[in-house]
Amino acid sequence: EAGVTQFPSHSVIEKGQTVTLRCDPISGHDNLYWYRRVMGKEIKFLLHFVKESKQDESGMPNNRFLAERTGGTYSTLKVQPAELEDSGVYFCASSQSTRDEQYFGPGTRLTVT
Amino acid sequence: QQQVKQSPQSLIVQKGGIPIINCAYENTAFDYFPWYQQFPGKGPALLIAIRPDVSEKKEGRFTISFNKSAKQFSLHIMDSQPGDSATYFCAATDYSQGGSEKLVFGKGTKLTVNP
Protein backbone atom coordinates (compact mmCIF):
# COMPACT_ATOMS: atom_id res chain seq x y z
CA GLU A 1 0.00 0.00 0.00
CA ALA A 2 1.43 3.36 -1.02
CA GLY A 3 1.97 5.84 1.76
CA VAL A 4 1.24 9.54 1.84
CA THR A 5 3.10 11.29 -0.95
CA GLN A 6 3.99 14.96 -1.23
CA PHE A 7 5.26 17.03 -4.13
CA PRO A 8 7.65 18.70 -4.54
CA SER A 9 10.13 17.44 -1.98
CA HIS A 10 11.89 20.79 -2.00
CA SER A 11 10.97 24.22 -3.34
CA VAL A 12 13.03 27.39 -3.37
CA ILE A 13 11.17 30.58 -4.29
CA GLU A 14 11.65 34.30 -3.91
CA LYS A 15 9.64 36.45 -1.59
CA GLY A 16 6.44 37.53 -3.28
CA GLN A 17 6.16 34.48 -5.52
CA THR A 18 3.50 31.82 -5.37
CA VAL A 19 4.03 28.17 -4.51
CA THR A 20 1.62 25.25 -4.53
CA LEU A 21 2.29 22.14 -2.50
CA ARG A 22 0.51 18.89 -3.22
CA CYS A 23 -0.40 15.98 -0.98
CA ASP A 24 -1.78 12.61 -2.01
CA PRO A 25 -3.17 10.76 1.00
CA ILE A 26 -3.37 7.03 1.44
CA SER A 27 -6.21 5.72 -0.70
CA GLY A 28 -9.46 5.55 1.23
CA HIS A 29 -8.38 7.95 3.95
CA ASP A 30 -11.09 10.54 4.45
CA ASN A 31 -9.07 12.67 6.84
CA LEU A 32 -6.22 14.82 5.62
CA TYR A 33 -4.12 17.13 7.77
CA TRP A 34 -1.53 19.78 6.98
CA TYR A 35 1.21 20.62 9.48
CA ARG A 36 4.28 22.85 9.30
CA ARG A 37 7.62 22.82 11.08
CA VAL A 38 9.57 26.02 11.08
CA MET A 39 13.27 25.39 11.78
CA GLY A 40 13.94 24.82 15.45
CA LYS A 41 10.28 24.93 16.37
CA GLU A 42 7.59 22.38 16.94
CA ILE A 43 5.45 20.81 14.22
CA LYS A 44 2.31 22.95 14.12
CA PHE A 45 -1.17 22.06 12.88
CA LEU A 46 -2.49 24.08 9.96
CA LEU A 47 -5.78 22.50 8.96
CA HIS A 48 -7.86 19.34 8.69
CA PHE A 49 -10.08 18.12 5.87
CA VAL A 50 -12.74 15.47 6.14
CA LYS A 51 -13.26 14.38 2.57
CA GLU A 52 -13.51 17.68 0.68
CA SER A 53 -14.72 19.78 3.63
CA LYS A 54 -12.55 21.86 5.92
CA GLN A 55 -13.16 20.51 9.41
CA ASP A 56 -10.72 22.79 11.21
CA GLU A 57 -8.58 25.54 9.75
CA SER A 58 -7.70 27.20 13.04
CA GLY A 59 -3.97 26.80 12.44
CA MET A 60 -3.79 28.62 9.11
CA PRO A 61 -1.48 31.58 9.77
CA ASN A 62 -3.15 34.14 7.50
CA ASN A 63 -5.08 34.59 4.27
CA ARG A 64 -1.98 34.14 2.14
CA PHE A 65 -2.50 30.41 2.65
CA LEU A 66 -5.21 28.60 0.71
CA ALA A 67 -5.89 24.89 1.02
CA GLU A 68 -8.15 22.83 -1.17
CA ARG A 69 -9.05 19.19 -1.45
CA THR A 70 -10.55 18.32 -4.77
CA GLY A 71 -13.19 15.60 -4.68
CA GLY A 72 -11.93 14.38 -1.34
CA THR A 73 -8.76 13.00 -2.86
CA TYR A 74 -5.51 14.94 -3.15
CA SER A 75 -5.00 18.31 -1.49
CA THR A 76 -3.09 21.44 -2.42
CA LEU A 77 -1.73 24.17 -0.21
CA LYS A 78 -1.03 27.44 -1.98
CA VAL A 79 1.02 30.23 -0.49
CA GLN A 80 0.52 33.56 -2.27
CA PRO A 81 2.49 35.76 -1.94
CA ALA A 82 5.20 33.92 -0.05
CA GLU A 83 7.05 35.66 2.79
CA LEU A 84 10.39 34.80 4.40
CA GLU A 85 8.67 33.46 7.55
CA ASP A 86 6.83 30.87 5.46
CA SER A 87 10.02 28.86 5.11
CA GLY A 88 9.85 25.47 6.75
CA VAL A 89 8.85 21.87 6.18
CA TYR A 90 5.22 21.28 5.33
CA PHE A 91 3.88 17.87 6.27
CA CYS A 92 0.71 16.23 5.14
CA ALA A 93 -0.89 13.38 7.10
CA SER A 94 -3.93 11.22 6.51
CA SER A 95 -6.07 8.88 8.56
CA GLN A 96 -8.98 6.61 7.82
CA SER A 97 -11.18 8.04 10.55
CA THR A 98 -10.64 10.94 12.92
CA ARG A 99 -9.31 8.87 15.84
CA ASP A 100 -7.08 6.61 13.80
CA GLU A 101 -3.32 6.90 13.51
CA GLN A 102 -2.21 9.77 11.33
CA TYR A 103 0.26 8.68 8.65
CA PHE A 104 2.68 11.39 7.63
CA GLY A 105 4.21 12.10 4.27
CA PRO A 106 7.93 12.92 3.86
CA GLY A 107 7.23 16.64 3.78
CA THR A 108 7.97 19.50 1.40
CA ARG A 109 10.84 21.75 2.39
CA LEU A 110 9.95 25.31 1.37
CA THR A 111 12.66 27.93 1.30
CA VAL A 112 11.65 31.54 0.67
CA THR A 113 14.59 33.83 -0.15
CA GLN B 1 2.48 29.68 23.97
CA GLN B 2 3.92 26.22 23.70
CA GLN B 3 1.40 23.65 24.91
CA VAL B 4 3.78 20.67 24.96
CA LYS B 5 7.31 21.22 26.22
CA GLN B 6 9.93 18.63 25.30
CA SER B 7 13.44 18.11 26.61
CA PRO B 8 16.27 17.65 25.97
CA GLN B 9 16.73 19.18 22.54
CA SER B 10 19.46 16.67 21.74
CA LEU B 11 20.79 13.54 23.36
CA ILE B 12 23.84 11.37 22.75
CA VAL B 13 24.15 7.91 24.29
CA GLN B 14 26.27 4.83 23.79
CA LYS B 15 24.85 1.64 22.36
CA GLY B 16 23.00 -0.22 25.10
CA GLY B 17 22.24 2.95 27.04
CA ILE B 18 18.74 4.06 28.06
CA PRO B 19 17.92 7.49 26.65
CA ILE B 20 15.00 9.26 28.33
CA ILE B 21 13.03 12.05 26.67
CA ASN B 22 10.64 14.12 28.75
CA CYS B 23 7.51 16.06 27.89
CA ALA B 24 5.18 18.25 29.89
CA TYR B 25 1.79 19.59 28.89
CA GLU B 26 -0.56 22.32 30.06
CA ASN B 27 -3.97 21.42 28.68
CA THR B 28 -5.74 19.02 31.05
CA ALA B 29 -8.19 18.16 28.27
CA PHE B 30 -5.49 16.24 26.40
CA ASP B 31 -6.35 12.55 26.50
CA TYR B 32 -4.07 10.87 23.97
CA PHE B 33 -0.28 11.11 23.97
CA PRO B 34 1.62 9.64 21.01
CA TRP B 35 5.34 9.58 20.34
CA TYR B 36 6.62 9.90 16.80
CA GLN B 37 9.97 8.85 15.37
CA GLN B 38 11.42 10.65 12.37
CA PHE B 39 14.39 9.60 10.26
CA PRO B 40 16.11 12.07 7.90
CA GLY B 41 14.15 12.58 4.69
CA LYS B 42 11.08 10.82 6.07
CA GLY B 43 7.94 12.00 7.78
CA PRO B 44 7.19 11.34 11.45
CA ALA B 45 5.93 7.81 12.13
CA LEU B 46 3.90 6.72 15.13
CA LEU B 47 6.09 4.81 17.57
CA ILE B 48 3.94 4.29 20.67
CA ALA B 49 1.03 6.05 22.34
CA ILE B 50 -0.65 6.17 25.74
CA ARG B 51 -3.92 7.30 27.26
CA PRO B 52 -4.04 8.91 30.73
CA ASP B 53 -5.86 5.99 32.35
CA VAL B 54 -2.59 4.01 32.51
CA SER B 55 0.75 5.00 34.00
CA GLU B 56 3.01 2.95 31.74
CA LYS B 57 2.97 1.29 28.34
CA LYS B 58 5.64 -0.93 26.80
CA GLU B 59 6.12 -1.93 23.19
CA GLY B 60 9.31 -3.83 22.61
CA ARG B 61 12.24 -1.69 23.76
CA PHE B 62 10.12 1.47 23.98
CA THR B 63 8.27 2.48 27.16
CA ILE B 64 6.09 5.48 27.91
CA SER B 65 5.75 6.55 31.52
CA PHE B 66 2.82 8.84 32.30
CA ASN B 67 2.24 11.02 35.37
CA LYS B 68 -1.21 12.58 35.14
CA SER B 69 -0.97 14.66 38.32
CA ALA B 70 2.31 16.21 37.19
CA LYS B 71 1.11 16.51 33.59
CA GLN B 72 4.28 14.85 32.38
CA PHE B 73 5.15 11.87 30.23
CA SER B 74 8.40 10.39 29.06
CA LEU B 75 9.84 7.96 26.53
CA HIS B 76 12.47 5.42 27.56
CA ILE B 77 14.40 3.38 25.01
CA MET B 78 15.89 0.22 26.48
CA ASP B 79 19.10 -1.26 25.08
CA SER B 80 19.37 1.55 22.53
CA GLN B 81 20.90 0.76 19.14
CA PRO B 82 22.54 2.94 16.47
CA GLY B 83 19.44 2.33 14.34
CA ASP B 84 17.39 4.22 16.96
CA SER B 85 19.23 7.42 16.00
CA ALA B 86 16.42 9.73 14.88
CA THR B 87 14.38 12.73 15.98
CA TYR B 88 11.64 11.93 18.46
CA PHE B 89 8.54 14.06 18.93
CA CYS B 90 6.04 13.83 21.73
CA ALA B 91 2.53 14.99 20.97
CA ALA B 92 -0.88 15.33 22.55
CA THR B 93 -4.43 15.69 21.40
CA ASP B 94 -7.91 16.05 22.81
CA TYR B 95 -10.04 13.22 21.47
CA SER B 96 -13.05 14.30 23.49
CA GLN B 97 -13.32 17.53 21.53
CA GLY B 98 -14.84 15.83 18.56
CA GLY B 99 -14.12 16.71 14.98
CA SER B 100 -10.52 17.60 14.42
CA GLU B 101 -8.03 15.48 16.37
CA LYS B 102 -5.18 17.82 15.61
CA LEU B 103 -1.87 16.85 17.16
CA VAL B 104 0.05 19.31 19.34
CA PHE B 105 3.75 18.53 19.14
CA GLY B 106 6.81 19.16 21.23
CA LYS B 107 9.90 20.67 19.57
CA GLY B 108 11.60 17.32 19.10
CA THR B 109 14.69 15.57 20.47
CA LYS B 110 17.53 14.53 18.20
CA LEU B 111 18.86 11.24 19.54
CA THR B 112 22.24 9.88 18.52
CA VAL B 113 23.23 6.38 19.61
CA ASN B 114 26.94 5.78 19.15
CA PRO B 115 28.20 2.25 18.36
Side-chain angles (χ1 to χ4, degrees):
Chain A
E1 176 186 280
V4 177
T5 57
Q6 294 187 244
F7 183 83
S9 58
H10 194 180
S11 179
V12 181
I13 61 171
E14 292 183 353
K15 177 182 171 181
Q17 289 186 321
T18 298
V19 63
T20 299
L21 314 181
R22 174 172 170 143
C23 168
D24 285 80
I26 293 172
S27 177
H29 281 194
D30 287 340
N31 293 270
L32 188 149
Y33 304 80
W34 283 99
Y35 293 87
R36 175 176 75 174
R37 188 185 191 202
V38 172
M39 191 165 63
K41 304 269 190 176
E42 66 271 29
I43 300 172
K44 275 194 172 180
F45 167 82
L46 296 177
L47 88 158
H48 170 208
F49 283 99
V50 177
K51 297 184 180 179
E52 65 276 4
S53 300
K54 291 175 185 175
Q55 179 74 25
D56 182 352
E57 51 185 329
S58 61
M60 295 288 263
N62 51 60
N63 59 11
R64 295 186 293 104
F65 289 74
L66 175 65
E68 295 179 325
R69 189 177 183 194
T70 307
T73 55
Y74 71 91
S75 174
T76 58
L77 180 64
K78 182 191 286 188
V79 185
Q80 179 183 29
E83 298 289 345
L84 298 178
E85 65 264 25
D86 300 333
S87 294
V89 181
Y90 290 76
F91 291 105
C92 174
S94 72
S95 68
Q96 193 157 30
S97 64
T98 50
R99 294 190 176 190
D100 283 344
E101 174 184 351
Q102 294 182 26
Y103 293 86
F104 282 76
T108 293
R109 181 174 295 278
L110 174 64
T111 303
V112 183
T113 62
Chain B
Q1 72 282 18
Q2 196 181 343
Q3 292 194 59
V4 177
K5 294 185 178 179
Q6 183 172 348
S7 63
Q9 193 172 2
S10 63
L11 188 54
I12 301 174
V13 300
Q14 292 298 120
K15 176 182 173 182
I18 307 175
I20 300 173
I21 304 170
N22 300 299
C23 286
Y25 63 96
E26 295 291 326
N27 187 350
T28 54
F30 287 150
D31 56 5
Y32 178 70
F33 302 87
W35 284 88
Y36 283 81
Q37 179 188 55
Q38 185 186 19
F39 294 105
K42 304 286 187 182
L46 180 66
L47 184 63
I48 185 173
I50 197 169
R51 296 191 184 276
D53 52 346
V54 297
S55 60
E56 185 177 277
K57 183 174 181 180
K58 287 185 181 181
E59 285 187 7
R61 295 183 294 107
F62 300 91
T63 299
I64 300 178
S65 297
F66 187 84
N67 186 330
K68 187 174 181 178
S69 61
K71 293 187 287 185
Q72 295 175 347
F73 57 111
S74 61
L75 176 70
H76 302 231
I77 306 176
M78 307 301 289
D79 187 27
S80 58
Q81 301 295 313
D84 296 330
S85 297
T87 299
Y88 292 81
F89 295 93
C90 62
T93 191
D94 174 10
Y95 271 172
S96 66
Q97 198 178 28
S100 173
E101 276 72 33
K102 58 189 176 189
L103 293 167
V104 179
F105 285 90
K107 286 191 176 182
T109 296
K110 185 174 182 181
L111 172 66
T112 302
V113 182
N114 289 326

